[in-house]
Amino acid sequence: MHSIECDTVVLGVLDYADADKIVTLFTLENGKVKGLARNAKKSRKRFGGALEPFARLRLQLTLKEGLSTLNGADVINVFPHIRADLSKIANAAYACELVEQLVGEGEQNPRLFRLLTAYLEHLNLTDHAPSDRRFFEANLLKVLGYQPELARCASCDQDLANMPQLRFSPSFAGILCSSCGRTGRPVSPETLSLLIRSLTTGRFGLVHFSPDGLAEAGAILDAAIACHLTRPLKSLNFMEQVSC
Ligand SMILES: [Zn+2]
C-alpha cells in the first residue's frame, strides 16, 4: 500500500494508548478519514505538533479500511489568531464538529472543504462576528443538500416575496406565509433576504445580521441542522460558555 498526500483539515484528535493519536480528518481528495498517528505524542519529527484540531495540513497517509495510517504532515496553516481567542476557538471547533457529524467517511465534498477552509481563514484574519457562524451554517446546509426552503411557504407553497408577516414553524421545518402562519416565531423579511443573500454571495464578511436578525436566522438554521444530527454537539456547550 502506498502513501498518498492530501490537503487536510484536522476535525478531531484523541490520545490513544501511551504514545499514539487517533485523528479525524476532512480531506479534499478523500473526504472524511480516520487515521492512526503512531508515536505522535513522543516523536515531533514526523508530525511536528501539527496534529491539532482545525489545523490545515498537507498530510501523507496510507488509506485503509477502518483506520488509515498517518505517515507525516506539513503544516499549511495552524490559524494562530484563532488559537489566541476563545470565541474564535469555539466557532472553529463548532464548524469542525458539524462537518464531522454530517459527513460520512470517504464522501468526497470539495465544495464543503472549500467552505470550511474559507471559514477558518476568515476567522483567523478578521474580528469575530456572530453573523459569520450563521453564514457558514446556511452554506453548509446548502452544500450538503439540506438547504431550508426560503422562497416559498412550507405549507401552501405560495411565494414569500413581499409578504409582510412571516413565521418560522419548526414542525414544518420552514417559513409560513401570512395566511398559514398563525403561530411560530415571526421572521422579518430582512432576515429572510439576508439568509437568501448568504447563499448567493459566496464570501464571508458580506452579510451582517442585526441582533434580532441573528436570533431569527439562528432559530431557522439551528432547527434545520438539528434534524440531521445523531448526537448533541459538544462544542455548542463550549460556545455558550464563552458566549458568542
Ligand atoms: Zn402558506
Side-chain angles (χ1 to χ4, degrees):
M1 276 177 283
H2 63 285
S3 185
I4 58 166
E5 281 217 335
C6 291
D7 193 346
T8 301
V9 174
V10 177
L11 299 179
V13 187
L14 271 179
D15 286 343
Y16 179 71
D18 281 348
D20 303 342
K21 287 185 179 190
I22 291 180
V23 189
T24 307
L25 310 158
F26 188 46
T27 71
L28 173 65
E29 297 84 350
N30 295 282
K32 192 171 81 175
V33 174
K34 268 193 195 296
L36 180 67
R38 286 197 189 282
N39 218 17
K41 278 194 275 178
K42 290 182 179 162
S43 159
R44 292 186 64 84
K45 199 169 77 186
R46 273 190 306 161
F47 300 109
L51 299 178
E52 294 293 331
F54 57 82
R56 185 166 176 193
L57 313 172
R58 190 82 195 150
L59 198 75
Q60 296 90 46
L61 79 162
T62 306
L63 284 177
K64 292 178 190 163
E65 288 278 324
L67 221 48
S68 298
T69 303
L70 274 62
N71 303 318
D74 300 306
V75 171
I76 296 175
N77 198 344
V78 294
F79 304 111
H81 303 299
I82 296 179
R83 287 171 207 282
D85 180 322
L86 272 183
S87 60
K88 291 185 178 191
I89 291 173
N91 278 271
Y94 172 72
C96 287
E97 194 179 6
L98 274 179
V99 171
E100 181 176 7
Q101 266 218 39
L102 295 176
V103 175
E105 277 185 40
E107 282 173 25
Q108 215 186 9
N109 194 330
R111 285 175 71 204
L112 183 55
F113 187 87
R114 283 194 291 274
L115 176 69
L116 179 62
T117 52
Y119 186 30
L120 293 173
E121 279 159 22
H122 184 76
L123 266 177
N124 191 48
L125 293 178
T126 59
D127 288 341
H128 165 66
S131 293
D132 295 333
R133 166 188 169 186
R134 300 310 184 182
F135 182 92
F136 172 77
E137 291 170 336
N139 281 282
L140 171 90
L141 289 165
K142 178 184 172 186
V143 165
L144 291 171
Y146 301 149
Q147 182 182 328
E149 174 61 62
L150 300 171
R152 311 193 80 84
C153 173
S155 174
C156 73
D157 203 38
Q158 211 181 149
D159 193 335
L160 296 176
N162 305 317
M163 288 232 180
Q165 277 226 319
L166 304 168
R167 288 181 187 272
F168 170 64
S169 160
S171 50
F172 278 92
I175 318 284
L176 299 179
C177 72
S178 311
S179 329
C180 299
R182 304 263 181 251
T183 58
R185 186 188 187 105
V187 177
S188 69
E190 293 75 32
T191 299
L192 200 59
S193 75
L194 283 175
L195 276 170
I196 292 169
R197 198 162 162 237
S198 298
L199 299 170
T200 50
T201 62
R203 265 183 59 201
F204 281 90
L206 299 180
V207 174
H208 303 283
F209 292 95
S210 67
D212 286 349
L214 272 178
E216 292 173 4
I220 295 167
L221 293 166
D222 290 346
I225 289 169
C227 62
H228 298 289
L229 297 177
T230 52
R231 56 181 192 277
L233 295 164
K234 284 183 256 165
S235 54
L236 266 183
N237 281 340
F238 179 43
M239 191 136 65
E240 277 155 22
Q241 280 168 25
V242 298
S243 63
C244 47

